[in-house]
Structure formats: C-alpha cells, structure tokens
Short mmCIF file of all heavy atoms in Angstrom, two decimals:
data_model
loop_
_atom_site.label_atom_id
_atom_site.label_comp_id
_atom_site.label_asym_id
_atom_site.label_seq_id
_atom_site.Cartn_x
_atom_site.Cartn_y
_atom_site.Cartn_z
N ILE A 1 18.66 6.32 46.04
CA ILE A 1 17.64 6.43 44.99
C ILE A 1 17.12 5.03 44.62
O ILE A 1 17.88 4.13 44.27
CB ILE A 1 18.24 7.10 43.72
CG1 ILE A 1 18.77 8.50 44.07
CG2 ILE A 1 17.18 7.20 42.62
CD1 ILE A 1 19.53 9.15 42.93
N VAL A 2 15.78 4.91 44.65
CA VAL A 2 15.11 3.66 44.35
C VAL A 2 14.22 3.86 43.13
O VAL A 2 13.49 4.85 43.06
CB VAL A 2 14.26 3.17 45.54
CG1 VAL A 2 13.47 1.91 45.18
CG2 VAL A 2 15.14 2.95 46.76
N LYS A 3 14.29 2.95 42.18
CA LYS A 3 13.29 2.91 41.12
C LYS A 3 12.08 2.13 41.65
O LYS A 3 12.17 0.93 41.91
CB LYS A 3 13.85 2.22 39.87
CG LYS A 3 12.82 1.74 38.84
CD LYS A 3 12.06 2.87 38.21
CE LYS A 3 11.02 2.35 37.22
NZ LYS A 3 9.83 1.74 37.87
N ALA A 4 10.96 2.83 41.82
CA ALA A 4 9.79 2.19 42.39
C ALA A 4 9.17 1.22 41.40
O ALA A 4 9.31 1.37 40.18
CB ALA A 4 8.77 3.28 42.78
N PRO A 5 8.42 0.23 41.91
CA PRO A 5 7.74 -0.72 41.01
C PRO A 5 6.64 -0.02 40.25
O PRO A 5 5.76 0.61 40.85
CB PRO A 5 7.22 -1.79 41.95
CG PRO A 5 7.13 -1.13 43.29
CD PRO A 5 8.21 -0.12 43.33
N THR A 6 6.67 -0.12 38.92
CA THR A 6 5.67 0.48 38.05
C THR A 6 5.21 -0.58 37.07
O THR A 6 6.03 -1.04 36.25
CB THR A 6 6.24 1.68 37.28
OG1 THR A 6 6.85 2.58 38.20
CG2 THR A 6 5.14 2.40 36.52
N SER A 7 3.95 -0.94 37.11
CA SER A 7 3.46 -1.99 36.22
C SER A 7 3.63 -1.62 34.76
O SER A 7 3.38 -0.48 34.37
CB SER A 7 1.99 -2.28 36.50
OG SER A 7 1.81 -2.76 37.82
N THR A 8 4.08 -2.59 33.97
CA THR A 8 4.30 -2.33 32.53
C THR A 8 3.22 -2.94 31.66
O THR A 8 3.05 -2.52 30.50
CB THR A 8 5.65 -2.89 32.08
OG1 THR A 8 5.67 -4.33 32.28
CG2 THR A 8 6.79 -2.28 32.87
N GLY A 9 2.50 -3.94 32.15
CA GLY A 9 1.43 -4.57 31.34
C GLY A 9 1.97 -5.26 30.12
O GLY A 9 1.24 -5.37 29.10
N ALA A 10 3.19 -5.77 30.16
CA ALA A 10 3.81 -6.32 28.96
C ALA A 10 4.11 -7.82 29.04
O ALA A 10 4.78 -8.37 28.15
CB ALA A 10 5.12 -5.57 28.68
N ALA A 11 3.62 -8.50 30.09
CA ALA A 11 3.82 -9.95 30.16
C ALA A 11 2.95 -10.65 29.11
O ALA A 11 1.97 -10.10 28.63
CB ALA A 11 3.49 -10.45 31.54
N ASP A 12 3.30 -11.89 28.76
CA ASP A 12 2.48 -12.64 27.84
C ASP A 12 1.26 -13.18 28.57
O ASP A 12 1.04 -12.92 29.76
CB ASP A 12 3.26 -13.75 27.14
CG ASP A 12 3.63 -14.93 28.06
OD1 ASP A 12 3.21 -14.93 29.23
OD2 ASP A 12 4.33 -15.83 27.58
N ALA A 13 0.40 -13.92 27.85
CA ALA A 13 -0.86 -14.38 28.42
C ALA A 13 -0.65 -15.26 29.63
O ALA A 13 -1.55 -15.40 30.48
CB ALA A 13 -1.67 -15.10 27.37
N GLY A 14 0.51 -15.90 29.76
CA GLY A 14 0.81 -16.76 30.90
C GLY A 14 1.47 -16.05 32.06
O GLY A 14 1.83 -16.68 33.05
N GLY A 15 1.68 -14.72 31.93
CA GLY A 15 2.33 -13.95 32.99
C GLY A 15 3.86 -14.03 32.94
O GLY A 15 4.51 -13.66 33.91
N TYR A 16 4.41 -14.48 31.81
CA TYR A 16 5.86 -14.66 31.72
C TYR A 16 6.55 -13.36 31.26
O TYR A 16 6.07 -12.67 30.34
CB TYR A 16 6.21 -15.79 30.76
CG TYR A 16 5.85 -17.15 31.30
CD1 TYR A 16 4.62 -17.73 30.99
CD2 TYR A 16 6.72 -17.85 32.13
CE1 TYR A 16 4.28 -18.99 31.51
CE2 TYR A 16 6.39 -19.10 32.63
CZ TYR A 16 5.16 -19.65 32.33
OH TYR A 16 4.81 -20.88 32.84
N ALA A 17 7.69 -13.06 31.87
CA ALA A 17 8.50 -11.94 31.44
C ALA A 17 9.03 -12.21 30.04
O ALA A 17 9.33 -13.34 29.68
CB ALA A 17 9.65 -11.71 32.40
N GLN A 18 9.18 -11.14 29.27
CA GLN A 18 9.65 -11.22 27.89
C GLN A 18 11.02 -10.54 27.74
O GLN A 18 11.45 -9.81 28.63
CB GLN A 18 8.62 -10.50 26.98
CG GLN A 18 7.20 -11.05 27.09
CD GLN A 18 7.13 -12.49 26.66
OE1 GLN A 18 7.42 -12.84 25.53
NE2 GLN A 18 6.72 -13.36 27.60
N PRO A 19 11.70 -10.74 26.61
CA PRO A 19 12.94 -9.99 26.38
C PRO A 19 12.74 -8.48 26.52
O PRO A 19 13.63 -7.75 26.93
CB PRO A 19 13.33 -10.39 24.96
CG PRO A 19 12.76 -11.78 24.79
CD PRO A 19 11.45 -11.77 25.55
N TRP A 20 11.52 -8.04 26.19
CA TRP A 20 11.22 -6.59 26.35
C TRP A 20 11.46 -6.14 27.79
O TRP A 20 11.98 -5.05 28.03
CB TRP A 20 9.77 -6.34 25.96
CG TRP A 20 9.35 -4.90 26.07
CD1 TRP A 20 9.41 -3.93 25.09
CD2 TRP A 20 8.87 -4.23 27.26
NE1 TRP A 20 8.96 -2.74 25.59
CE2 TRP A 20 8.63 -2.89 26.90
CE3 TRP A 20 8.58 -4.64 28.55
CZ2 TRP A 20 8.12 -1.96 27.80
CZ3 TRP A 20 8.11 -3.72 29.46
CH2 TRP A 20 7.87 -2.39 29.09
N HIS A 21 11.06 -6.96 28.76
CA HIS A 21 11.25 -6.59 30.16
C HIS A 21 12.73 -6.46 30.50
O HIS A 21 13.14 -5.52 31.20
CB HIS A 21 10.62 -7.65 31.09
CG HIS A 21 9.13 -7.66 31.07
ND1 HIS A 21 8.43 -8.50 30.23
CD2 HIS A 21 8.21 -6.96 31.81
CE1 HIS A 21 7.13 -8.30 30.44
NE2 HIS A 21 6.97 -7.39 31.39
N ARG A 22 13.54 -7.38 30.00
CA ARG A 22 14.98 -7.29 30.23
C ARG A 22 15.53 -5.96 29.73
O ARG A 22 16.28 -5.26 30.43
CB ARG A 22 15.64 -8.45 29.51
CG ARG A 22 17.18 -8.49 29.63
CD ARG A 22 17.72 -9.43 28.57
NE ARG A 22 17.40 -8.94 27.22
CZ ARG A 22 17.22 -9.71 26.14
NH1 ARG A 22 17.35 -11.03 26.25
NH2 ARG A 22 16.94 -9.18 24.99
N ASP A 23 15.15 -5.59 28.51
CA ASP A 23 15.66 -4.35 27.93
C ASP A 23 15.07 -3.12 28.64
O ASP A 23 15.77 -2.12 28.84
CB ASP A 23 15.36 -4.30 26.44
CG ASP A 23 16.05 -5.42 25.67
OD1 ASP A 23 17.04 -5.96 26.17
OD2 ASP A 23 15.57 -5.78 24.57
N HIS A 24 13.80 -3.20 29.01
CA HIS A 24 13.15 -2.08 29.68
C HIS A 24 13.83 -1.79 31.02
O HIS A 24 14.18 -0.62 31.29
CB HIS A 24 11.67 -2.41 29.90
CG HIS A 24 10.92 -1.41 30.72
ND1 HIS A 24 10.48 -0.22 30.21
CD2 HIS A 24 10.53 -1.44 32.03
CE1 HIS A 24 9.86 0.45 31.17
NE2 HIS A 24 9.86 -0.26 32.27
N TYR A 25 14.04 -2.80 31.82
CA TYR A 25 14.64 -2.56 33.14
C TYR A 25 16.15 -2.31 33.06
O TYR A 25 16.72 -1.71 33.97
CB TYR A 25 14.33 -3.72 34.07
CG TYR A 25 12.91 -3.66 34.60
CD1 TYR A 25 11.91 -4.50 34.12
CD2 TYR A 25 12.57 -2.72 35.55
CE1 TYR A 25 10.62 -4.41 34.59
CE2 TYR A 25 11.27 -2.64 36.04
CZ TYR A 25 10.31 -3.48 35.54
OH TYR A 25 9.02 -3.36 36.00
N ALA A 26 16.78 -2.72 31.97
CA ALA A 26 18.18 -2.33 31.78
C ALA A 26 18.27 -0.82 31.56
O ALA A 26 19.27 -0.19 31.93
CB ALA A 26 18.76 -3.07 30.58
N ARG A 27 17.25 -0.24 30.96
CA ARG A 27 17.25 1.17 30.63
C ARG A 27 16.61 2.04 31.72
O ARG A 27 17.18 3.03 32.17
CB ARG A 27 16.47 1.36 29.30
CG ARG A 27 16.38 2.80 28.82
CD ARG A 27 17.63 3.17 28.03
NE ARG A 27 17.52 4.53 27.53
CZ ARG A 27 17.96 5.61 28.20
NH1 ARG A 27 18.53 5.47 29.38
NH2 ARG A 27 17.85 6.81 27.69
N VAL A 28 15.40 1.67 32.13
CA VAL A 28 14.67 2.49 33.08
C VAL A 28 15.18 2.25 34.49
O VAL A 28 15.19 1.13 34.97
CB VAL A 28 13.15 2.19 32.98
CG1 VAL A 28 12.39 2.97 34.03
CG2 VAL A 28 12.64 2.51 31.60
N GLY A 29 15.63 3.31 35.12
CA GLY A 29 16.19 3.18 36.46
C GLY A 29 17.69 3.08 36.48
O GLY A 29 18.30 2.91 37.54
N ARG A 30 18.30 3.15 35.31
CA ARG A 30 19.75 3.06 35.25
C ARG A 30 20.37 4.14 36.14
O ARG A 30 19.96 5.29 36.10
CB ARG A 30 20.22 3.23 33.80
CG ARG A 30 21.70 2.92 33.60
CD ARG A 30 22.03 2.88 32.13
NE ARG A 30 21.76 4.13 31.46
CZ ARG A 30 21.80 4.29 30.14
NH1 ARG A 30 22.04 3.26 29.35
NH2 ARG A 30 21.56 5.47 29.59
N GLY A 31 21.33 3.74 36.95
CA GLY A 31 21.99 4.70 37.86
C GLY A 31 21.36 4.72 39.24
O GLY A 31 21.94 5.32 40.16
N SER A 32 20.19 4.10 39.42
CA SER A 32 19.61 4.04 40.76
C SER A 32 20.39 3.02 41.61
O SER A 32 21.21 2.26 41.10
CB SER A 32 18.13 3.64 40.68
OG SER A 32 17.98 2.32 40.21
N ALA A 33 20.10 3.02 42.89
CA ALA A 33 20.73 2.03 43.77
C ALA A 33 19.96 0.73 43.80
O ALA A 33 20.54 -0.36 43.83
CB ALA A 33 20.85 2.60 45.17
N LEU A 34 18.66 0.83 43.77
CA LEU A 34 17.77 -0.33 43.85
C LEU A 34 16.67 -0.14 42.82
O LEU A 34 15.99 0.90 42.81
CB LEU A 34 17.15 -0.42 45.26
CG LEU A 34 15.94 -1.36 45.45
CD1 LEU A 34 16.32 -2.80 45.16
CD2 LEU A 34 15.41 -1.22 46.88
N THR A 35 16.48 -1.10 41.94
CA THR A 35 15.39 -1.10 40.99
C THR A 35 14.45 -2.24 41.34
O THR A 35 14.83 -3.41 41.31
CB THR A 35 15.92 -1.28 39.54
OG1 THR A 35 16.69 -0.12 39.19
CG2 THR A 35 14.77 -1.45 38.56
N ILE A 36 13.20 -1.87 41.71
CA ILE A 36 12.21 -2.87 42.11
C ILE A 36 11.30 -3.17 40.90
O ILE A 36 10.61 -2.29 40.41
CB ILE A 36 11.35 -2.39 43.30
CG1 ILE A 36 12.26 -1.97 44.47
CG2 ILE A 36 10.39 -3.49 43.74
CD1 ILE A 36 11.50 -1.40 45.65
N VAL A 37 11.37 -4.42 40.45
CA VAL A 37 10.52 -4.83 39.35
C VAL A 37 9.08 -4.92 39.85
O VAL A 37 8.80 -5.27 40.99
CB VAL A 37 11.01 -6.18 38.79
CG1 VAL A 37 10.04 -6.75 37.75
CG2 VAL A 37 12.39 -6.00 38.17
N GLU A 38 8.20 -4.62 38.93
CA GLU A 38 6.80 -4.39 39.21
C GLU A 38 6.07 -5.50 39.95
O GLU A 38 6.50 -6.65 40.01
CB GLU A 38 6.11 -4.18 37.87
CG GLU A 38 6.20 -5.42 36.97
CD GLU A 38 6.01 -5.12 35.51
OE1 GLU A 38 7.00 -4.76 34.85
OE2 GLU A 38 4.87 -5.23 35.05
N PHE A 39 4.93 -5.14 40.49
CA PHE A 39 3.88 -5.98 41.04
C PHE A 39 3.80 -7.33 40.29
O PHE A 39 3.46 -7.36 39.12
CB PHE A 39 2.59 -5.18 40.86
CG PHE A 39 1.29 -5.82 41.23
CD1 PHE A 39 0.73 -5.54 42.47
CD2 PHE A 39 0.60 -6.62 40.33
CE1 PHE A 39 -0.51 -6.08 42.80
CE2 PHE A 39 -0.62 -7.16 40.66
CZ PHE A 39 -1.18 -6.89 41.89
N THR A 40 4.16 -8.42 40.96
CA THR A 40 4.26 -9.74 40.31
C THR A 40 3.40 -10.74 41.09
O THR A 40 3.53 -10.89 42.29
CB THR A 40 5.74 -10.19 40.29
OG1 THR A 40 6.53 -9.17 39.68
CG2 THR A 40 5.91 -11.47 39.51
N ALA A 41 2.51 -11.42 40.37
CA ALA A 41 1.49 -12.26 41.01
C ALA A 41 2.08 -13.55 41.55
O ALA A 41 2.85 -14.23 40.90
CB ALA A 41 0.39 -12.57 40.01
N ILE A 42 1.64 -13.91 42.77
CA ILE A 42 2.19 -15.10 43.43
C ILE A 42 1.58 -16.38 42.90
O ILE A 42 2.12 -17.46 43.15
CB ILE A 42 1.96 -15.02 44.95
CG1 ILE A 42 0.45 -15.00 45.29
CG2 ILE A 42 2.65 -13.80 45.55
CD1 ILE A 42 0.13 -15.30 46.73
N ASP A 43 0.46 -16.31 42.21
CA ASP A 43 -0.11 -17.51 41.58
C ASP A 43 -0.71 -17.12 40.25
O ASP A 43 -0.80 -15.92 39.91
CB ASP A 43 -1.12 -18.22 42.48
CG ASP A 43 -2.38 -17.40 42.78
OD1 ASP A 43 -2.95 -16.83 41.83
OD2 ASP A 43 -2.79 -17.32 43.96
N ASP A 44 -1.14 -18.11 39.46
CA ASP A 44 -1.68 -17.80 38.15
C ASP A 44 -3.20 -17.88 38.14
O ASP A 44 -3.83 -18.08 37.11
CB ASP A 44 -1.08 -18.74 37.09
CG ASP A 44 -1.25 -20.20 37.42
OD1 ASP A 44 -1.99 -20.52 38.37
OD2 ASP A 44 -0.66 -21.03 36.70
N GLY A 45 -3.81 -17.68 39.33
CA GLY A 45 -5.25 -17.64 39.45
C GLY A 45 -5.73 -16.28 39.87
O GLY A 45 -5.51 -15.29 39.18
N ALA A 46 -6.34 -16.21 41.05
CA ALA A 46 -6.91 -14.96 41.52
C ALA A 46 -5.90 -13.89 41.83
O ALA A 46 -6.25 -12.71 41.90
CB ALA A 46 -7.78 -15.23 42.77
N ALA A 47 -4.63 -14.26 41.98
CA ALA A 47 -3.60 -13.24 42.28
C ALA A 47 -3.34 -12.35 41.07
O ALA A 47 -2.92 -11.20 41.21
CB ALA A 47 -2.29 -13.92 42.68
N LEU A 48 -3.60 -12.85 39.85
CA LEU A 48 -3.39 -12.06 38.63
C LEU A 48 -4.47 -10.98 38.55
O LEU A 48 -5.65 -11.27 38.67
CB LEU A 48 -3.45 -12.95 37.38
CG LEU A 48 -2.21 -13.79 37.12
CD1 LEU A 48 -2.51 -14.85 36.06
CD2 LEU A 48 -1.06 -12.91 36.65
#
C-alpha cells in the first residue's frame, strides 16, 4: 500500500514546509508501506 502524492497547497510563500505538513503526513497515510510527499519544485522559479 502506497500513499500517493497529493498536493496540499500549504507551503509558505517561499515554498517551505510548515509544522502543518509534519502533522498532516504523520496522520494521512498512517499504516501504509510508502508515503510519497507531494509534488515538490526543483527550483524557486519556473518549476513552482
């Protein structure tokens, strides 16, 4: 069982993960074998 990556739209203006993300992923997908954190931009320009 895999938790698929699902965008949360909850990063700050700089694209940084927040404590909310830590708590969200601790809860959502609990019990799965692999939890894939969402679509994450490789740069802070056009990739966002």
Side-chain angles (χ1 to χ4, degrees):
I1 302 172
V2 176
K3 163 65 181 74
T6 308
S7 297
T8 62
D12 71 4
Y16 290 93
Q18 303 297 299
W20 181 92
H21 290 92
R22 178 196 63 208
D23 297 338
H24 174 77
Y25 283 104
R27 179 84 179 92
V28 175
R30 189 170 61 190
S32 66
L34 166 61
T35 293
I36 306 176
V37 172
E38 62 202 86
F39 175 98
T40 306
I42 63 165
D43 64 47
D44 55 9
L48 284 166

